[in-house]
Structure formats: structure tokens, C-alpha cells
Amino acid sequence: MRTLRINRELSPLLAGAAAAVSTAGALLALTGSNSAPRGPCTLLFLLLAPAAALAAALRGLDPFARALCALAGAVVVDMLVAQVMLAVHHWSVRGGVAAVAVLSLALLLLVHLRDRITGKSTQE
């Protein structure tokens, strides 16, 4: 049985491309563009932004468990944002993307502050 292995030199390139595409999706959603890649790129942002923040917080897990927990947590964050927006009768695509972005940035800030306080780096 052959296993698929991604070259170590290609991983940062793929991560950068995914970040660029998801950022473009967030910008397309926030500006209200009606272009064709808006939906898939915005969906990629809604999955990757909270997943990246959660993966940074879960640095003690092995890579597969970290990716799985981060992706599941990203879906939970998206669902909670949608549920709260529906509950208060203020549903909008722009508001949802903005709320997910703010929550993801807040989590990344908390992880950064935790690392500065404890003196640990995220590059372990």
C-alpha cells in the first residue's frame, strides 16, 4: 500500500495559498461582491480561520488529532455564530464572516498572550 506524503518544502506553500484564498473569500463576502468564487472561498475562510486559531491553542496534541479537533471546533464556532445571529434576528453573511474573524483573532491573541506569560513558544 502506498501512502501519500506531502513534501516538507511544499507544506508552507500550500498553507500560504490556502490562507490567501480564504482571505480573498472573506474580503469578497465583506464587500458584497457577486463573483463566482465568493461562495467557495468564503466557506474556506469560515473553516480555516477558526481551525487555525484552535490548532494554535492545541499545540500539545499530535498532528492528526490536532487537525481533527481544530476542524471540528471550527464547525462548532461557525454553528454557534449562526445560531446566535438567528436567535437575535440579525442574520447576515457579512456579520457572520466578521463575527468568525473577530472570534478567531481573539483566540489567536489569547494564545499569543498565554505563550508570552508562560515563556513557551508555539514552534515546539
Side-chain angles (χ1 to χ4, degrees):
M1 180 188 301
R2 298 183 80 197
T3 59
L4 178 65
R5 293 180 191 232
I6 297 176
N7 190 351
R8 289 272 185 201
E9 291 130 16
L10 194 59
S11 294
L13 180 67
L14 291 174
V21 169
S22 67
T23 302
L27 291 175
L28 286 172
L30 290 174
T31 59
S33 172
N34 288 328
S35 63
R38 175 186 170 189
C41 293
T42 303
L43 180 61
L44 187 67
F45 173 78
L46 290 174
L47 287 176
L48 286 185
L54 289 168
L58 299 172
R59 68 171 178 236
L61 298 176
D62 65 280
F64 181 73
R66 187 181 198 181
L68 187 64
C69 289
L71 193 59
V75 171
V76 169
V77 167
D78 292 339
M79 292 295 178
L80 285 174
V81 167
Q83 185 66 34
V84 167
M85 290 179 74
L86 287 172
V88 297
H89 302 290
H90 287 292
W91 170 255
S92 73
V93 174
R94 289 181 185 168
V97 170
V100 168
V102 166
L103 287 173
S104 300
L105 286 174
L107 182 59
L108 278 174
L109 179 64
L110 288 174
V111 169
H112 180 69
L113 289 175
R114 179 192 68 184
D115 291 342
R116 289 192 91 184
I117 290 171
T118 61
K120 295 180 181 177
S121 68
T122 58
Q123 298 290 330
E124 290 180 355

